[in-house]
Amino acid sequence: MAGFSSSLGAAAGDAELARLLAAEQQKAQLQLKVHGFTELCWDKCVEKPSSRLDSRTEACLQSCVERFVDTTLAVTGRFAQMVQKGGH
């Protein structure tokens, strides 16, 4: 019986490790997307770096960030719905 319970413990440990690995992969993917989005907004909005942002650049960056936040919230909400339904 001890062999059976140790097998269950190992399986539970493997499942937990897989869950942690998946969570870390998701974090890494999100960080890559944030970096890419930051670069996209910078390239789109900032013509030449200076010590201050002019009002047009500031408005552009703000709009870009707001679109990113809105999109992130929509994707996160959709993902939560999928998880609740048990889908992928």
Side-chain angles (χ1 to χ4, degrees):
M1 194 59 128
F4 179 71
S5 64
S6 66
S7 294
L8 287 176
D14 289 347
E16 178 67 10
L17 181 60
R19 187 188 66 74
L20 289 172
L21 181 59
E24 288 300 315
Q25 287 173 334
Q26 288 175 346
K27 282 198 281 187
Q29 288 175 350
L30 179 61
Q31 287 174 339
L32 282 172
K33 289 181 190 259
V34 168
H35 177 72
F37 195 79
T38 302
E39 188 173 337
L40 176 76
C41 287
W42 180 268
D43 290 344
K44 178 181 180 189
C45 298
V46 179
E47 292 178 12
K48 60 179 182 164
S50 65
S51 61
R52 295 192 58 133
L53 297 176
D54 62 28
S55 60
R56 188 182 67 76
T57 302
E58 188 174 342
C60 180
L61 287 169
Q62 182 175 355
S63 176
C64 197
V65 168
E66 287 172 355
R67 284 194 311 263
F68 173 71
V69 169
D70 289 344
T71 302
T72 300
L73 291 174
V75 169
T76 302
R78 178 68 178 129
F79 180 70
Q81 288 175 347
M82 291 171 57
V83 168
Q84 287 177 346
K85 292 180 181 178
H88 299 315

